[in-house]
Amino acid sequence: MNFSLLIKPVSADCNLRCEYCFYIDHLDNVEKKPRMSDNTLEAMIKSYMKTDQNNQYAFGWQGGEPTLLGIKFWERVIELQKKYAPPGAVISNGLQTNGTLITDEMAQFFAEYRFLLGVSLDGPAYLHDYYRKTIGQKPTHSLVMRGIDRLKKYHVDFNILILVNNKTVKKAREIYLYLKNHGFNYHQYIPCVEFDENGNLKHFSITGEEWGDFLCELFDEWIKEDINQISIRLFDSIINYLVNKQYTVCYMGSDCCQYFVVEYDGSIYPCDFFVQENLLLGNIMKGDWRDFLISPIYKKFGKQKSLWNDYCDKCSYLNLCHGDCQKFRSGDYKSLKKLSVLCKGWKKFYTYNLSQFEILAKNLRDNKEVNGSFQIKRKKINRNSPCPCGSGKKFKNCCLR
């Protein structure tokens, strides 16, 4: 089975304290500053390179903030990858960063070894700085833009990661145009959904209805003239499914056995949203990837994705989300039969726009390039007619609600 690694070499340690960060609480369980040791790093790379991945090995580096480790760590990563790579291996390195610590030396290195970076930027300064602050509660937008300038200087490939929170969810067009005007052509919009101990949405989270409106506004702006210029990961993944019947984002699939999280101490988990004691699969210093793959804990976690709500079986869009991410099903790990809090948003978005994606997919299948503006021709749906999502309810009481 092919799988990728999501590695957290500094665990949750970070030079920022973004209020909505879901991972920072992991620092509470660490006695000293978490750093991946050289022994753990070598054991992880060596063992992964021994697995059969069709000679394609994907390393994702995340945190916290992985650039805290400095250039020497990344030089060691490349050294070990070269040492243990089988003949003909294709190695990819992706790194998610807040961008504030990027130096010229680091940017030059990432360019040389073709790292793909994901840089967190929530839009213009007044939106970005609302939640994304330093430990001393100082704004960070200018620091991120400085880091991006250094990446551009050395031609490092990077995407922009936008967390859609309660302050940005009404600003889809403004954020999109801001990124476009800065020449950022690769966007990944991520819904902010966090629950408190009672299973209620935290104040910075968004609702399903808000998510649907955000995506519709984003789509309307993108499809005007940017379908060949700007890549939005969610839109790409929808088209890829329609063309190739393949899922390129994990929430779309029916099983969550897709990658492993490797914490700084070598501990292995099935998902970075579920790095918790009851889902610990083992440790790379003692176990083997084959053991992790057949672990009953891992298999059970993966299959729980298909334990969606009975209502989902009647939905026309089931193949596009399979009940959505387990995390979004109410915040209670034991209540996976509940609908995703984003369900209404997904249904609204697909009800209005799936036909447009199908046209784009058909053009790709027919090897036709879509040039210029794309005229939006929405399906006209009577508010009192049955909802196109297949729920059996009237449209006004379902996806419009």
Side-chain angles (χ1 to χ4, degrees):
M1 174 184 174
N2 290 351
F3 61 91
S4 58
L5 301 183
L6 181 60
I7 308 149
K8 295 180 176 289
V10 298
S11 188
D13 198 12
C14 188
N15 61 315
L16 305 190
R17 285 300 181 269
C18 307
E19 186 177 348
Y20 53 52
C21 180
F22 75 92
Y23 211 72
I24 195 67
D25 289 345
H26 288 274
L27 282 183
D28 296 341
N29 302 318
V30 179
E31 294 182 358
K32 58 181 181 179
K33 186 175 291 188
R35 295 292 183 268
M36 181 171 280
S37 70
D38 189 73
N39 287 341
T40 301
L41 178 67
E42 183 166 12
M44 177 187 66
I45 293 175
K46 179 180 180 180
S47 60
Y48 182 48
M49 290 294 195
K50 287 183 177 179
T51 63
D52 182 11
Q53 303 294 317
N54 296 322
N55 244 12
Q56 298 190 33
Y57 300 88
F59 296 82
W61 305 90
Q62 202 182 73
E65 178 48 49
T67 59
L68 284 170
L69 291 163
I71 190 67
K72 296 299 182 182
F73 178 85
W74 304 107
E75 290 174 343
R76 180 61 171 159
V77 166
I78 295 300
E79 178 184 345
L80 291 170
Q81 288 177 344
K82 288 180 177 179
K83 179 178 179 179
Y84 292 112
V90 176
I91 301 171
S92 62
N93 285 289
L95 187 149
Q96 185 170 333
T97 175
N98 60 43
T100 63
L101 301 177
I102 299 294
T103 63
D104 280 272
E105 183 183 22
M106 204 176 288
Q108 191 170 12
F109 175 86
F110 290 146
E112 179 180 358
Y113 290 99
R114 299 183 179 180
F115 275 59
L116 173 63
L117 269 63
V119 182
S120 295
L121 179 67
D122 286 351
Y126 83 98
L127 291 174
H128 175 93
D129 288 336
Y130 193 89
Y131 287 124
R132 300 191 65 81
K133 294 181 171 65
T134 66
I135 294 177
Q137 293 300 293
K138 299 295 184 181
T140 62
H141 185 272
S142 61
L143 301 177
V144 178
M145 297 302 286
R146 180 191 66 185
I148 289 176
D149 286 342
R150 288 170 178 167
L151 296 178
K152 292 169 70 174
K153 177 180 177 181
Y154 294 99
H155 307 289
V156 179
D157 291 330
F158 66 92
N159 302 331
I160 298 295
L161 310 179
I162 308 97
L163 193 70
V164 183
N165 57 68
N166 69 318
K167 296 299 179 183
T168 58
V169 72
K170 305 293 186 184
K171 306 287 186 180
R173 182 176 183 273
E174 180 181 350
I175 293 171
Y176 177 82
L177 292 178
Y178 175 82
L179 298 178
K180 176 182 176 179
N181 292 337
H182 277 79
F184 304 149
N185 293 335
Y186 296 89
H187 307 181
Q188 183 176 347
Y189 296 88
I190 306 163
C192 182
V193 178
E194 297 295 332
F195 301 94
D196 63 22
E197 60 275 9
N198 296 316
N200 299 314
L201 285 174
K202 293 186 176 181
H203 70 276
F204 43 70
S205 298
I206 62 173
T207 65
E209 292 91 338
E210 290 174 329
W211 179 235
D213 290 340
F214 180 92
L215 291 179
C216 286
E217 185 176 328
L218 181 68
F219 181 86
D220 286 352
E221 198 60 41
W222 171 78
I223 206 169
K224 287 179 183 177
E225 57 184 10
D226 295 331
I227 54 178
N228 293 319
Q229 285 76 41
I230 294 181
S231 167
I232 296 177
R233 188 183 183 193
L234 169 60
F235 298 172
D236 291 346
S237 65
I238 294 169
I239 294 172
N240 186 75
Y241 170 73
L242 294 174
V243 173
N244 301 313
K245 300 302 178 185
Q246 295 177 345
Y247 298 116
T248 56
V249 289
C250 59
Y251 84 87
M252 279 188 171
S254 60
D255 191 294
C256 285
C257 292
Q258 301 185 32
Y259 69 93
F260 290 107
V261 172
V262 185
E263 259 286 354
Y264 80 102
D265 61 355
S267 299
I268 308 295
Y269 300 88
C271 172
D272 67 325
F273 288 146
F274 294 96
V275 175
Q276 52 197 47
E277 187 175 354
N278 65 318
L279 289 174
L280 175 63
L281 304 177
N283 191 292
I284 195 57
M285 301 301 290
K286 301 176 182 178
D288 183 89
W289 295 112
R290 288 170 293 186
D291 297 330
F292 303 142
L293 284 168
I294 64 174
S295 164
I297 297 175
Y298 186 57
K299 288 187 173 183
K300 180 181 178 181
F301 177 80
K303 290 180 179 178
Q304 283 179 159
K305 180 65 159 69
S306 63
L307 299 179
W308 50 70
N309 189 279
D310 293 341
Y311 178 73
C312 298
D313 291 318
K314 304 173 185 177
C315 181
S316 301
Y317 312 123
L318 178 61
N319 285 340
L320 291 165
C321 79
H322 289 98
D324 206 1
C325 177
Q326 293 189 44
K327 179 185 178 181
F328 300 155
R329 299 179 190 176
S330 86
D332 183 351
Y333 181 65
K334 298 178 181 178
S335 301
L336 299 176
K337 294 290 285 186
K338 290 188 177 180
L339 286 171
S340 164
V341 296
L342 299 180
C343 178
K344 290 180 181 179
W346 288 123
K347 287 198 300 182
K348 182 173 185 178
F349 176 62
Y350 287 130
T351 297
Y352 278 121
N353 300 304
L354 187 57
S355 61
Q356 312 306 314
F357 282 111
E358 289 170 342
I359 293 173
L360 295 174
K362 183 179 185 301
N363 285 330
L364 283 175
R365 287 194 297 268
D366 295 342
N367 294 317
K368 294 179 181 178
E369 183 177 359
V370 183
N371 294 308
S373 297
F374 189 89
Q375 186 177 2
I376 300 174
K377 296 181 179 179
R378 299 216 186 278
K379 294 186 291 185
K380 292 184 179 180
I381 305 171
N382 189 307
R383 291 173 60 87
N384 292 307
S385 63
C387 186
C389 76
S391 67
K393 298 181 180 180
K394 291 182 180 180
F395 188 42
K396 67 179 181 180
N397 297 326
C398 190
C399 289
L400 277 184
R401 186 173 60 182

